[in-house]
Amino acid sequence: MSEQPQGELVCNANEIQVKQALRILIDDYPVAIVKDSMGQIHAIGDTCSHADISLAEGEIEGCAIECWGHGSQFDLRTGQPLQLPAYDPVPVFAVTLDGDDVYVDVTNVVNGASVQNY
């Protein structure tokens, strides 16, 4: 019997199209599950670090997501802001694929960013 993946089962990989984001809640914490331009799946904190705006509603280009509110862009791999006005990174969470099942572990912040209210 295989080992159970760490984290919470959040969706099936086929539920997310390339250059699309899905907003989910894990224990009331908002997370954006994002499939970048290359088809890789990422999990980031869904709230822009500049303003209280959902990143899942933004555009995805390459390996970045843009906040629709003020145009801040964040690297999906590192959480680092690529475009002002945001200065602070958003948290990036560990993602595990088990077949097509996507698991996210919000207790494993891979970039060390602050996780507010979790």
Side-chain angles (χ1 to χ4, degrees), residues 9-26 29-36 41-47 54-58 60 65 76 100 102 104:
L9 175 61
V10 295
C11 66
N12 184 288
N14 298 319
E15 293 177 45
I16 310 168
Q17 301 301 312
V18 170
K19 295 175 68 172
Q20 181 186 18
L22 174 67
R23 183 180 192 272
I24 61 155
L25 294 174
I26 299 176
Y29 187 82
V31 176
I33 309 301
V34 185
K35 192 177 279 188
D36 67 21
I41 296 177
H42 307 270
I44 63 170
D46 185 48
T47 305
S54 172
L55 293 175
E57 298 175 24
I60 299 145
I65 191 165
L76 294 167
D100 287 332
V102 179
V104 174

PDB file of all heavy atoms in Angstrom, residues 9-26 29-36 41-47 54-58 60 65 76 100 102 104:
ATOM      1  N   LEU A   9      -6.480  16.888   0.051  1.00  0.00           N
ATOM      2  CA  LEU A   9      -6.909  16.688  -1.334  1.00  0.00           C
ATOM      3  C   LEU A   9      -7.789  17.870  -1.707  1.00  0.00           C
ATOM      4  O   LEU A   9      -8.816  18.113  -1.076  1.00  0.00           O
ATOM      5  CB  LEU A   9      -7.688  15.375  -1.464  1.00  0.00           C
ATOM      6  CG  LEU A   9      -8.310  15.089  -2.826  1.00  0.00           C
ATOM      7  CD1 LEU A   9      -7.237  14.995  -3.917  1.00  0.00           C
ATOM      8  CD2 LEU A   9      -9.134  13.817  -2.762  1.00  0.00           C
ATOM      9  N   VAL A  10      -7.356  18.640  -2.730  1.00  0.00           N
ATOM     10  CA  VAL A  10      -8.080  19.869  -3.057  1.00  0.00           C
ATOM     11  C   VAL A  10      -8.829  19.814  -4.380  1.00  0.00           C
ATOM     12  O   VAL A  10      -9.821  20.514  -4.564  1.00  0.00           O
ATOM     13  CB  VAL A  10      -7.141  21.098  -3.035  1.00  0.00           C
ATOM     14  CG1 VAL A  10      -6.628  21.346  -1.627  1.00  0.00           C
ATOM     15  CG2 VAL A  10      -6.002  20.948  -4.010  1.00  0.00           C
ATOM     16  N   CYS A  11      -8.343  19.014  -5.334  1.00  0.00           N
ATOM     17  CA  CYS A  11      -9.013  18.928  -6.623  1.00  0.00           C
ATOM     18  C   CYS A  11      -8.355  17.856  -7.472  1.00  0.00           C
ATOM     19  O   CYS A  11      -7.365  17.244  -7.064  1.00  0.00           O
ATOM     20  CB  CYS A  11      -8.978  20.265  -7.369  1.00  0.00           C
ATOM     21  SG  CYS A  11      -7.332  20.808  -7.870  1.00  0.00           S
ATOM     22  N   ASN A  12      -8.882  17.665  -8.644  1.00  0.00           N
ATOM     23  CA  ASN A  12      -8.284  16.807  -9.658  1.00  0.00           C
ATOM     24  C   ASN A  12      -7.546  17.724 -10.625  1.00  0.00           C
ATOM     25  O   ASN A  12      -8.059  18.795 -10.975  1.00  0.00           O
ATOM     26  CB  ASN A  12      -9.377  16.020 -10.384  1.00  0.00           C
ATOM     27  CG  ASN A  12      -8.822  15.035 -11.371  1.00  0.00           C
ATOM     28  OD1 ASN A  12      -8.323  15.419 -12.427  1.00  0.00           O
ATOM     29  ND2 ASN A  12      -8.914  13.757 -11.046  1.00  0.00           N
ATOM     30  N   ALA A  13      -6.365  17.333 -11.052  1.00  0.00           N
ATOM     31  CA  ALA A  13      -5.562  18.180 -11.940  1.00  0.00           C
ATOM     32  C   ALA A  13      -6.307  18.547 -13.214  1.00  0.00           C
ATOM     33  O   ALA A  13      -6.084  19.622 -13.786  1.00  0.00           O
ATOM     34  CB  ALA A  13      -4.243  17.479 -12.277  1.00  0.00           C
ATOM     35  N   ASN A  14      -7.214  17.698 -13.658  1.00  0.00           N
ATOM     36  CA  ASN A  14      -7.966  17.971 -14.881  1.00  0.00           C
ATOM     37  C   ASN A  14      -9.044  19.034 -14.695  1.00  0.00           C
ATOM     38  O   ASN A  14      -9.621  19.498 -15.681  1.00  0.00           O
ATOM     39  CB  ASN A  14      -8.585  16.680 -15.412  1.00  0.00           C
ATOM     40  CG  ASN A  14      -7.520  15.670 -15.780  1.00  0.00           C
ATOM     41  OD1 ASN A  14      -6.496  16.014 -16.355  1.00  0.00           O
ATOM     42  ND2 ASN A  14      -7.748  14.414 -15.427  1.00  0.00           N
ATOM     43  N   GLU A  15      -9.318  19.408 -13.462  1.00  0.00           N
ATOM     44  CA  GLU A  15     -10.317  20.450 -13.189  1.00  0.00           C
ATOM     45  C   GLU A  15      -9.769  21.850 -13.460  1.00  0.00           C
ATOM     46  O   GLU A  15     -10.532  22.814 -13.497  1.00  0.00           O
ATOM     47  CB  GLU A  15     -10.772  20.381 -11.733  1.00  0.00           C
ATOM     48  CG  GLU A  15     -11.544  19.140 -11.388  1.00  0.00           C
ATOM     49  CD  GLU A  15     -11.911  19.092  -9.918  1.00  0.00           C
ATOM     50  OE1 GLU A  15     -12.371  20.109  -9.370  1.00  0.00           O
ATOM     51  OE2 GLU A  15     -11.711  18.027  -9.314  1.00  0.00           O
ATOM     52  N   ILE A  16      -8.454  21.967 -13.614  1.00  0.00           N
ATOM     53  CA  ILE A  16      -7.819  23.273 -13.820  1.00  0.00           C
ATOM     54  C   ILE A  16      -7.217  23.301 -15.221  1.00  0.00           C
ATOM     55  O   ILE A  16      -6.410  22.443 -15.574  1.00  0.00           O
ATOM     56  CB  ILE A  16      -6.703  23.533 -12.796  1.00  0.00           C
ATOM     57  CG1 ILE A  16      -7.189  23.269 -11.373  1.00  0.00           C
ATOM     58  CG2 ILE A  16      -6.183  24.956 -12.916  1.00  0.00           C
ATOM     59  CD1 ILE A  16      -6.072  23.231 -10.365  1.00  0.00           C
ATOM     60  N   GLN A  17      -7.610  24.281 -15.999  1.00  0.00           N
ATOM     61  CA  GLN A  17      -7.059  24.450 -17.337  1.00  0.00           C
ATOM     62  C   GLN A  17      -5.726  25.203 -17.255  1.00  0.00           C
ATOM     63  O   GLN A  17      -5.446  25.903 -16.274  1.00  0.00           O
ATOM     64  CB  GLN A  17      -8.031  25.245 -18.217  1.00  0.00           C
ATOM     65  CG  GLN A  17      -9.396  24.597 -18.361  1.00  0.00           C
ATOM     66  CD  GLN A  17      -9.312  23.208 -18.968  1.00  0.00           C
ATOM     67  OE1 GLN A  17      -8.638  23.001 -19.975  1.00  0.00           O
ATOM     68  NE2 GLN A  17      -9.973  22.250 -18.340  1.00  0.00           N
ATOM     69  N   VAL A  18      -4.914  25.077 -18.299  1.00  0.00           N
ATOM     70  CA  VAL A  18      -3.663  25.834 -18.377  1.00  0.00           C
ATOM     71  C   VAL A  18      -4.002  27.325 -18.324  1.00  0.00           C
ATOM     72  O   VAL A  18      -4.980  27.777 -18.938  1.00  0.00           O
ATOM     73  CB  VAL A  18      -2.896  25.477 -19.669  1.00  0.00           C
ATOM     74  CG1 VAL A  18      -1.727  26.414 -19.891  1.00  0.00           C
ATOM     75  CG2 VAL A  18      -2.421  24.028 -19.613  1.00  0.00           C
ATOM     76  N   LYS A  19      -3.207  28.077 -17.565  1.00  0.00           N
ATOM     77  CA  LYS A  19      -3.388  29.519 -17.357  1.00  0.00           C
ATOM     78  C   LYS A  19      -4.707  29.833 -16.646  1.00  0.00           C
ATOM     79  O   LYS A  19      -5.362  30.813 -16.923  1.00  0.00           O
ATOM     80  CB  LYS A  19      -3.264  30.286 -18.671  1.00  0.00           C
ATOM     81  CG  LYS A  19      -1.880  30.194 -19.274  1.00  0.00           C
ATOM     82  CD  LYS A  19      -1.781  30.836 -20.629  1.00  0.00           C
ATOM     83  CE  LYS A  19      -1.935  32.328 -20.542  1.00  0.00           C
ATOM     84  NZ  LYS A  19      -1.672  32.998 -21.806  1.00  0.00           N
ATOM     85  N   GLN A  20      -5.054  28.942 -15.701  1.00  0.00           N
ATOM     86  CA  GLN A  20      -6.258  29.137 -14.912  1.00  0.00           C
ATOM     87  C   GLN A  20      -5.917  28.941 -13.439  1.00  0.00           C
ATOM     88  O   GLN A  20      -4.978  28.225 -13.100  1.00  0.00           O
ATOM     89  CB  GLN A  20      -7.336  28.138 -15.322  1.00  0.00           C
ATOM     90  CG  GLN A  20      -8.632  28.290 -14.558  1.00  0.00           C
ATOM     91  CD  GLN A  20      -9.639  27.191 -14.894  1.00  0.00           C
ATOM     92  OE1 GLN A  20      -9.294  26.147 -15.430  1.00  0.00           O
ATOM     93  NE2 GLN A  20     -10.885  27.426 -14.551  1.00  0.00           N
ATOM     94  N   ALA A  21      -6.698  29.592 -12.583  1.00  0.00           N
ATOM     95  CA  ALA A  21      -6.537  29.444 -11.136  1.00  0.00           C
ATOM     96  C   ALA A  21      -7.869  29.059 -10.520  1.00  0.00           C
ATOM     97  O   ALA A  21      -8.936  29.453 -11.005  1.00  0.00           O
ATOM     98  CB  ALA A  21      -6.019  30.733 -10.520  1.00  0.00           C
ATOM     99  N   LEU A  22      -7.786  28.298  -9.456  1.00  0.00           N
ATOM    100  CA  LEU A  22      -8.954  27.856  -8.715  1.00  0.00           C
ATOM    101  C   LEU A  22      -8.774  28.303  -7.271  1.00  0.00           C
ATOM    102  O   LEU A  22      -7.760  27.997  -6.649  1.00  0.00           O
ATOM    103  CB  LEU A  22      -9.051  26.321  -8.798  1.00  0.00           C
ATOM    104  CG  LEU A  22     -10.120  25.623  -7.994  1.00  0.00           C
ATOM    105  CD1 LEU A  22     -11.505  25.988  -8.528  1.00  0.00           C
ATOM    106  CD2 LEU A  22      -9.914  24.114  -8.065  1.00  0.00           C
ATOM    107  N   ARG A  23      -9.735  29.046  -6.750  1.00  0.00           N
ATOM    108  CA  ARG A  23      -9.672  29.493  -5.360  1.00  0.00           C
ATOM    109  C   ARG A  23     -10.349  28.445  -4.486  1.00  0.00           C
ATOM    110  O   ARG A  23     -11.470  28.037  -4.740  1.00  0.00           O
ATOM    111  CB  ARG A  23     -10.391  30.830  -5.182  1.00  0.00           C
ATOM    112  CG  ARG A  23     -10.303  31.374  -3.768  1.00  0.00           C
ATOM    113  CD  ARG A  23     -11.056  32.706  -3.676  1.00  0.00           C
ATOM    114  NE  ARG A  23     -10.760  33.383  -2.449  1.00  0.00           N
ATOM    115  CZ  ARG A  23     -11.415  33.202  -1.298  1.00  0.00           C
ATOM    116  NH1 ARG A  23     -12.391  32.323  -1.233  1.00  0.00           N
ATOM    117  NH2 ARG A  23     -11.086  33.883  -0.219  1.00  0.00           N
ATOM    118  N   ILE A  24      -9.626  28.014  -3.456  1.00  0.00           N
ATOM    119  CA  ILE A  24     -10.162  27.042  -2.510  1.00  0.00           C
ATOM    120  C   ILE A  24      -9.909  27.548  -1.089  1.00  0.00           C
ATOM    121  O   ILE A  24      -9.107  28.465  -0.892  1.00  0.00           O
ATOM    122  CB  ILE A  24      -9.529  25.646  -2.691  1.00  0.00           C
ATOM    123  CG1 ILE A  24      -8.023  25.718  -2.447  1.00  0.00           C
ATOM    124  CG2 ILE A  24      -9.827  25.065  -4.061  1.00  0.00           C
ATOM    125  CD1 ILE A  24      -7.438  24.419  -2.010  1.00  0.00           C
ATOM    126  N   LEU A  25     -10.570  26.941  -0.144  1.00  0.00           N
ATOM    127  CA  LEU A  25     -10.320  27.218   1.270  1.00  0.00           C
ATOM    128  C   LEU A  25      -9.838  25.939   1.926  1.00  0.00           C
ATOM    129  O   LEU A  25     -10.449  24.884   1.757  1.00  0.00           O
ATOM    130  CB  LEU A  25     -11.576  27.708   1.976  1.00  0.00           C
ATOM    131  CG  LEU A  25     -12.128  29.063   1.545  1.00  0.00           C
ATOM    132  CD1 LEU A  25     -13.453  29.333   2.249  1.00  0.00           C
ATOM    133  CD2 LEU A  25     -11.140  30.166   1.844  1.00  0.00           C
ATOM    134  N   ILE A  26      -8.732  26.045   2.647  1.00  0.00           N
ATOM    135  CA  ILE A  26      -8.249  24.935   3.459  1.00  0.00           C
ATOM    136  C   ILE A  26      -8.280  25.420   4.898  1.00  0.00           C
ATOM    137  O   ILE A  26      -7.551  26.344   5.255  1.00  0.00           O
ATOM    138  CB  ILE A  26      -6.818  24.506   3.059  1.00  0.00           C
ATOM    139  CG1 ILE A  26      -6.792  24.028   1.598  1.00  0.00           C
ATOM    140  CG2 ILE A  26      -6.310  23.415   4.001  1.00  0.00           C
ATOM    141  CD1 ILE A  26      -5.409  23.669   1.091  1.00  0.00           C
ATOM    142  N   TYR A  29      -8.585  29.023   5.182  1.00  0.00           N
ATOM    143  CA  TYR A  29      -7.479  29.821   4.637  1.00  0.00           C
ATOM    144  C   TYR A  29      -7.567  29.788   3.103  1.00  0.00           C
ATOM    145  O   TYR A  29      -7.587  28.707   2.504  1.00  0.00           O
ATOM    146  CB  TYR A  29      -6.123  29.286   5.105  1.00  0.00           C
ATOM    147  CG  TYR A  29      -4.998  30.189   4.697  1.00  0.00           C
ATOM    148  CD1 TYR A  29      -4.692  31.323   5.437  1.00  0.00           C
ATOM    149  CD2 TYR A  29      -4.261  29.933   3.542  1.00  0.00           C
ATOM    150  CE1 TYR A  29      -3.680  32.179   5.042  1.00  0.00           C
ATOM    151  CE2 TYR A  29      -3.249  30.785   3.144  1.00  0.00           C
ATOM    152  CZ  TYR A  29      -2.970  31.910   3.902  1.00  0.00           C
ATOM    153  OH  TYR A  29      -1.973  32.761   3.503  1.00  0.00           O
ATOM    154  N   PRO A  30      -7.615  30.973   2.443  1.00  0.00           N
ATOM    155  CA  PRO A  30      -7.739  31.014   0.986  1.00  0.00           C
ATOM    156  C   PRO A  30      -6.426  30.658   0.281  1.00  0.00           C
ATOM    157  O   PRO A  30      -5.369  31.212   0.578  1.00  0.00           O
ATOM    158  CB  PRO A  30      -8.146  32.453   0.699  1.00  0.00           C
ATOM    159  CG  PRO A  30      -7.613  33.242   1.849  1.00  0.00           C
ATOM    160  CD  PRO A  30      -7.634  32.310   3.039  1.00  0.00           C
ATOM    161  N   VAL A  31      -6.524  29.720  -0.650  1.00  0.00           N
ATOM    162  CA  VAL A  31      -5.378  29.251  -1.426  1.00  0.00           C
ATOM    163  C   VAL A  31      -5.769  29.281  -2.901  1.00  0.00           C
ATOM    164  O   VAL A  31      -6.894  28.915  -3.256  1.00  0.00           O
ATOM    165  CB  VAL A  31      -4.977  27.821  -1.019  1.00  0.00           C
ATOM    166  CG1 VAL A  31      -3.846  27.285  -1.887  1.00  0.00           C
ATOM    167  CG2 VAL A  31      -4.585  27.769   0.460  1.00  0.00           C
ATOM    168  N   ALA A  32      -4.843  29.716  -3.751  1.00  0.00           N
ATOM    169  CA  ALA A  32      -5.046  29.664  -5.196  1.00  0.00           C
ATOM    170  C   ALA A  32      -4.266  28.477  -5.745  1.00  0.00           C
ATOM    171  O   ALA A  32      -3.058  28.373  -5.536  1.00  0.00           O
ATOM    172  CB  ALA A  32      -4.576  30.962  -5.860  1.00  0.00           C
ATOM    173  N   ILE A  33      -4.975  27.570  -6.408  1.00  0.00           N
ATOM    174  CA  ILE A  33      -4.343  26.451  -7.100  1.00  0.00           C
ATOM    175  C   ILE A  33      -4.230  26.909  -8.555  1.00  0.00           C
ATOM    176  O   ILE A  33      -5.249  27.204  -9.199  1.00  0.00           O
ATOM    177  CB  ILE A  33      -5.192  25.166  -7.002  1.00  0.00           C
ATOM    178  CG1 ILE A  33      -5.591  24.876  -5.556  1.00  0.00           C
ATOM    179  CG2 ILE A  33      -4.455  24.002  -7.643  1.00  0.00           C
ATOM    180  CD1 ILE A  33      -4.450  24.698  -4.606  1.00  0.00           C
ATOM    181  N   VAL A  34      -3.010  26.983  -9.058  1.00  0.00           N
ATOM    182  CA  VAL A  34      -2.763  27.608 -10.359  1.00  0.00           C
ATOM    183  C   VAL A  34      -2.036  26.639 -11.284  1.00  0.00           C
ATOM    184  O   VAL A  34      -1.062  26.004 -10.880  1.00  0.00           O
ATOM    185  CB  VAL A  34      -1.902  28.886 -10.199  1.00  0.00           C
ATOM    186  CG1 VAL A  34      -1.737  29.597 -11.529  1.00  0.00           C
ATOM    187  CG2 VAL A  34      -2.489  29.822  -9.151  1.00  0.00           C
ATOM    188  N   LYS A  35      -2.517  26.558 -12.526  1.00  0.00           N
ATOM    189  CA  LYS A  35      -1.805  25.803 -13.557  1.00  0.00           C
ATOM    190  C   LYS A  35      -1.163  26.837 -14.477  1.00  0.00           C
ATOM    191  O   LYS A  35      -1.854  27.610 -15.141  1.00  0.00           O
ATOM    192  CB  LYS A  35      -2.745  24.884 -14.327  1.00  0.00           C
ATOM    193  CG  LYS A  35      -2.003  23.879 -15.196  1.00  0.00           C
ATOM    194  CD  LYS A  35      -2.942  22.908 -15.899  1.00  0.00           C
ATOM    195  CE  LYS A  35      -3.376  21.776 -14.996  1.00  0.00           C
ATOM    196  NZ  LYS A  35      -4.139  20.721 -15.739  1.00  0.00           N
ATOM    197  N   ASP A  36       0.174  26.880 -14.471  1.00  0.00           N
ATOM    198  CA  ASP A  36       0.891  27.903 -15.244  1.00  0.00           C
ATOM    199  C   ASP A  36       0.877  27.588 -16.740  1.00  0.00           C
ATOM    200  O   ASP A  36       0.279  26.598 -17.185  1.00  0.00           O
ATOM    201  CB  ASP A  36       2.315  28.109 -14.701  1.00  0.00           C
ATOM    202  CG  ASP A  36       3.235  26.917 -14.901  1.00  0.00           C
ATOM    203  OD1 ASP A  36       2.984  26.058 -15.776  1.00  0.00           O
ATOM    204  OD2 ASP A  36       4.246  26.843 -14.172  1.00  0.00           O
ATOM    205  N   ILE A  41       1.435  22.752 -11.757  1.00  0.00           N
ATOM    206  CA  ILE A  41       0.464  23.180 -10.746  1.00  0.00           C
ATOM    207  C   ILE A  41       1.190  23.752  -9.544  1.00  0.00           C
ATOM    208  O   ILE A  41       2.152  23.184  -9.048  1.00  0.00           O
ATOM    209  CB  ILE A  41      -0.442  22.003 -10.336  1.00  0.00           C
ATOM    210  CG1 ILE A  41      -1.256  21.557 -11.550  1.00  0.00           C
ATOM    211  CG2 ILE A  41      -1.356  22.403  -9.177  1.00  0.00           C
ATOM    212  CD1 ILE A  41      -2.135  20.359 -11.298  1.00  0.00           C
ATOM    213  N   HIS A  42       0.692  24.906  -9.092  1.00  0.00           N
ATOM    214  CA  HIS A  42       1.261  25.620  -7.951  1.00  0.00           C
ATOM    215  C   HIS A  42       0.147  25.930  -6.958  1.00  0.00           C
ATOM    216  O   HIS A  42      -1.025  26.036  -7.333  1.00  0.00           O
ATOM    217  CB  HIS A  42       1.880  26.952  -8.403  1.00  0.00           C
ATOM    218  CG  HIS A  42       2.856  26.814  -9.514  1.00  0.00           C
ATOM    219  ND1 HIS A  42       4.198  26.607  -9.303  1.00  0.00           N
ATOM    220  CD2 HIS A  42       2.689  26.832 -10.867  1.00  0.00           C
ATOM    221  CE1 HIS A  42       4.817  26.520 -10.467  1.00  0.00           C
ATOM    222  NE2 HIS A  42       3.928  26.651 -11.431  1.00  0.00           N
ATOM    223  N   ALA A  43       0.519  26.123  -5.697  1.00  0.00           N
ATOM    224  CA  ALA A  43      -0.423  26.545  -4.659  1.00  0.00           C
ATOM    225  C   ALA A  43       0.189  27.734  -3.934  1.00  0.00           C
ATOM    226  O   ALA A  43       1.304  27.647  -3.415  1.00  0.00           O
ATOM    227  CB  ALA A  43      -0.707  25.413  -3.685  1.00  0.00           C
ATOM    228  N   ILE A  44      -0.528  28.850  -3.945  1.00  0.00           N
ATOM    229  CA  ILE A  44      -0.055  30.065  -3.286  1.00  0.00           C
ATOM    230  C   ILE A  44      -1.167  30.632  -2.426  1.00  0.00           C
ATOM    231  O   ILE A  44      -2.340  30.337  -2.637  1.00  0.00           O
ATOM    232  CB  ILE A  44       0.412  31.140  -4.307  1.00  0.00           C
ATOM    233  CG1 ILE A  44      -0.754  31.592  -5.183  1.00  0.00           C
ATOM    234  CG2 ILE A  44       1.569  30.622  -5.148  1.00  0.00           C
ATOM    235  CD1 ILE A  44      -0.446  32.802  -6.051  1.00  0.00           C
ATOM    236  N   GLY A  45      -0.780  31.460  -1.463  1.00  0.00           N
ATOM    237  CA  GLY A  45      -1.776  32.193  -0.701  1.00  0.00           C
ATOM    238  C   GLY A  45      -2.585  33.036  -1.673  1.00  0.00           C
ATOM    239  O   GLY A  45      -2.025  33.696  -2.541  1.00  0.00           O
ATOM    240  N   ASP A  46      -3.901  33.004  -1.552  1.00  0.00           N
ATOM    241  CA  ASP A  46      -4.768  33.638  -2.551  1.00  0.00           C
ATOM    242  C   ASP A  46      -4.971  35.128  -2.338  1.00  0.00           C
ATOM    243  O   ASP A  46      -5.676  35.759  -3.102  1.00  0.00           O
ATOM    244  CB  ASP A  46      -6.129  32.933  -2.591  1.00  0.00           C
ATOM    245  CG  ASP A  46      -7.010  33.474  -3.704  1.00  0.00           C
ATOM    246  OD1 ASP A  46      -6.514  33.601  -4.835  1.00  0.00           O
ATOM    247  OD2 ASP A  46      -8.183  33.779  -3.436  1.00  0.00           O
ATOM    248  N   THR A  47      -4.353  35.708  -1.358  1.00  0.00           N
ATOM    249  CA  THR A  47      -4.565  37.131  -1.096  1.00  0.00           C
ATOM    250  C   THR A  47      -3.321  37.929  -1.462  1.00  0.00           C
ATOM    251  O   THR A  47      -2.221  37.634  -0.984  1.00  0.00           O
ATOM    252  CB  THR A  47      -4.911  37.356   0.389  1.00  0.00           C
ATOM    253  OG1 THR A  47      -6.032  36.533   0.719  1.00  0.00           O
ATOM    254  CG2 THR A  47      -5.253  38.813   0.651  1.00  0.00           C
ATOM    255  N   SER A  54      -8.294  38.747  -4.202  1.00  0.00           N
ATOM    256  CA  SER A  54      -8.040  37.360  -4.584  1.00  0.00           C
ATOM    257  C   SER A  54      -7.154  37.291  -5.823  1.00  0.00           C
ATOM    258  O   SER A  54      -7.479  37.852  -6.866  1.00  0.00           O
ATOM    259  CB  SER A  54      -9.363  36.646  -4.876  1.00  0.00           C
ATOM    260  OG  SER A  54      -9.119  35.374  -5.426  1.00  0.00           O
ATOM    261  N   LEU A  55      -6.039  36.582  -5.704  1.00  0.00           N
ATOM    262  CA  LEU A  55      -5.140  36.408  -6.847  1.00  0.00           C
ATOM    263  C   LEU A  55      -5.712  35.433  -7.871  1.00  0.00           C
ATOM    264  O   LEU A  55      -5.370  35.494  -9.054  1.00  0.00           O
ATOM    265  CB  LEU A  55      -3.769  35.929  -6.378  1.00  0.00           C
ATOM    266  CG  LEU A  55      -2.971  36.939  -5.560  1.00  0.00           C
ATOM    267  CD1 LEU A  55      -1.688  36.302  -5.052  1.00  0.00           C
ATOM    268  CD2 LEU A  55      -2.661  38.180  -6.390  1.00  0.00           C
ATOM    269  N   ALA A  56      -6.576  34.519  -7.444  1.00  0.00           N
ATOM    270  CA  ALA A  56      -7.140  33.532  -8.361  1.00  0.00           C
ATOM    271  C   ALA A  56      -7.943  34.182  -9.487  1.00  0.00           C
ATOM    272  O   ALA A  56      -8.182  33.565 -10.511  1.00  0.00           O
ATOM    273  CB  ALA A  56      -8.011  32.538  -7.596  1.00  0.00           C
ATOM    274  N   GLU A  57      -8.330  35.425  -9.301  1.00  0.00           N
ATOM    275  CA  GLU A  57      -9.086  36.140 -10.324  1.00  0.00           C
ATOM    276  C   GLU A  57      -8.174  36.839 -11.330  1.00  0.00           C
ATOM    277  O   GLU A  57      -8.658  37.447 -12.283  1.00  0.00           O
ATOM    278  CB  GLU A  57     -10.013  37.161  -9.663  1.00  0.00           C
ATOM    279  CG  GLU A  57     -11.044  36.513  -8.759  1.00  0.00           C
ATOM    280  CD  GLU A  57     -11.882  37.520  -8.010  1.00  0.00           C
ATOM    281  OE1 GLU A  57     -12.010  38.672  -8.480  1.00  0.00           O
ATOM    282  OE2 GLU A  57     -12.416  37.161  -6.949  1.00  0.00           O
ATOM    283  N   GLY A  58      -6.866  36.753 -11.122  1.00  0.00           N
ATOM    284  CA  GLY A  58      -5.922  37.451 -11.981  1.00  0.00           C
ATOM    285  C   GLY A  58      -5.504  36.647 -13.198  1.00  0.00           C
ATOM    286  O   GLY A  58      -5.812  35.463 -13.327  1.00  0.00           O
ATOM    287  N   ILE A  60      -2.739  34.829 -15.713  1.00  0.00           N
ATOM    288  CA  ILE A  60      -1.530  34.024 -15.553  1.00  0.00           C
ATOM    289  C   ILE A  60      -0.764  34.072 -16.858  1.00  0.00           C
ATOM    290  O   ILE A  60      -1.328  33.839 -17.929  1.00  0.00           O
ATOM    291  CB  ILE A  60      -1.893  32.568 -15.196  1.00  0.00           C
ATOM    292  CG1 ILE A  60      -2.660  32.552 -13.873  1.00  0.00           C
ATOM    293  CG2 ILE A  60      -0.656  31.695 -15.136  1.00  0.00           C
ATOM    294  CD1 ILE A  60      -3.714  31.522 -13.794  1.00  0.00           C
ATOM    295  N   ILE A  65       1.439  35.234 -11.782  1.00  0.00           N
ATOM    296  CA  ILE A  65       0.032  35.595 -11.706  1.00  0.00           C
ATOM    297  C   ILE A  65      -0.042  37.078 -11.379  1.00  0.00           C
ATOM    298  O   ILE A  65       0.764  37.597 -10.601  1.00  0.00           O
ATOM    299  CB  ILE A  65      -0.723  34.740 -10.652  1.00  0.00           C
ATOM    300  CG1 ILE A  65      -2.234  34.929 -10.771  1.00  0.00           C
ATOM    301  CG2 ILE A  65      -0.210  35.010  -9.247  1.00  0.00           C
ATOM    302  CD1 ILE A  65      -3.044  33.878 -10.032  1.00  0.00           C
ATOM    303  N   LEU A  76       4.981  32.300  -9.313  1.00  0.00           N
ATOM    304  CA  LEU A  76       4.261  31.167  -8.734  1.00  0.00           C
ATOM    305  C   LEU A  76       5.176  30.177  -8.029  1.00  0.00           C
ATOM    306  O   LEU A  76       4.741  29.426  -7.164  1.00  0.00           O
ATOM    307  CB  LEU A  76       3.461  30.440  -9.821  1.00  0.00           C
ATOM    308  CG  LEU A  76       2.325  31.248 -10.430  1.00  0.00           C
ATOM    309  CD1 LEU A  76       1.804  30.570 -11.692  1.00  0.00           C
ATOM    310  CD2 LEU A  76       1.208  31.448  -9.418  1.00  0.00           C
ATOM    311  N   ASP A 100      -3.880  11.969 -10.681  1.00  0.00           N
ATOM    312  CA  ASP A 100      -4.422  13.285 -11.033  1.00  0.00           C
ATOM    313  C   ASP A 100      -4.932  14.047  -9.817  1.00  0.00           C
ATOM    314  O   ASP A 100      -5.430  15.168  -9.952  1.00  0.00           O
ATOM    315  CB  ASP A 100      -5.550  13.144 -12.057  1.00  0.00           C
ATOM    316  CG  ASP A 100      -5.042  12.785 -13.439  1.00  0.00           C
ATOM    317  OD1 ASP A 100      -3.888  13.143 -13.761  1.00  0.00           O
ATOM    318  OD2 ASP A 100      -5.791  12.142 -14.203  1.00  0.00           O
ATOM    319  N   VAL A 102      -4.688  16.330  -6.608  1.00  0.00           N
ATOM    320  CA  VAL A 102      -3.799  17.410  -6.169  1.00  0.00           C
ATOM    321  C   VAL A 102      -3.959  17.595  -4.666  1.00  0.00           C
ATOM    322  O   VAL A 102      -5.064  17.841  -4.173  1.00  0.00           O
ATOM    323  CB  VAL A 102      -4.124  18.735  -6.902  1.00  0.00           C
ATOM    324  CG1 VAL A 102      -3.219  19.855  -6.414  1.00  0.00           C
ATOM    325  CG2 VAL A 102      -4.026  18.557  -8.411  1.00  0.00           C
ATOM    326  N   VAL A 104      -2.486  19.712  -1.251  1.00  0.00           N
ATOM    327  CA  VAL A 104      -1.782  20.922  -0.825  1.00  0.00           C
ATOM    328  C   VAL A 104      -1.599  20.860   0.679  1.00  0.00           C
ATOM    329  O   VAL A 104      -2.545  20.584   1.421  1.00  0.00           O
ATOM    330  CB  VAL A 104      -2.559  22.196  -1.220  1.00  0.00           C
ATOM    331  CG1 VAL A 104      -1.887  23.436  -0.654  1.00  0.00           C
ATOM    332  CG2 VAL A 104      -2.681  22.297  -2.731  1.00  0.00           C
TER     333      VAL A 104
END
